[in-house]
Amino acid sequence: MNDLGLRKEEIIEMLKEHEGVSSSLLEKIADVIVANNKKIERNVTSFVSKELNKKISRTSYR
């Protein structure tokens, strides 16, 4: 599966711009964002696959 979102390291670098935030908190935030991106990607892939299958099955009966 291709990652469509940012990598954990990229997210941490972006979050480091906010001073006063601990690195452990930055890691946790990045982990949550990455996990959420993967969940969104799976849901989108599943939806698109279902829609494509519907269209394929409709056109194959014609």
Side-chain angles (χ1 to χ4, degrees):
M1 181 179 344
N2 294 333
D3 285 337
L4 299 178
L6 296 171
R7 290 186 344 265
K8 181 177 175 178
E9 295 79 18
E10 294 170 319
I11 295 167
I12 291 172
E13 282 304 312
M14 292 173 69
L15 292 172
K16 281 184 180 178
E17 296 172 6
H18 302 284
E19 294 179 22
V21 180
S22 71
S23 49
S24 63
L25 180 58
L26 292 177
E27 286 251 352
K28 289 178 185 177
I29 292 169
D31 286 338
V32 169
I33 292 170
V34 168
N36 194 45
N37 285 348
K38 288 179 182 179
K39 185 186 300 183
I40 291 169
E41 186 176 342
R42 277 193 308 271
N43 289 340
V44 168
T45 301
S46 174
F47 176 78
V48 170
S49 294
K50 287 176 186 174
E51 291 300 308
L52 284 174
N53 283 334
K54 286 179 192 176
K55 289 183 181 196
I56 290 169
S57 65
R58 282 188 211 137
T59 57
S60 63
Y61 290 118
R62 292 182 181 176

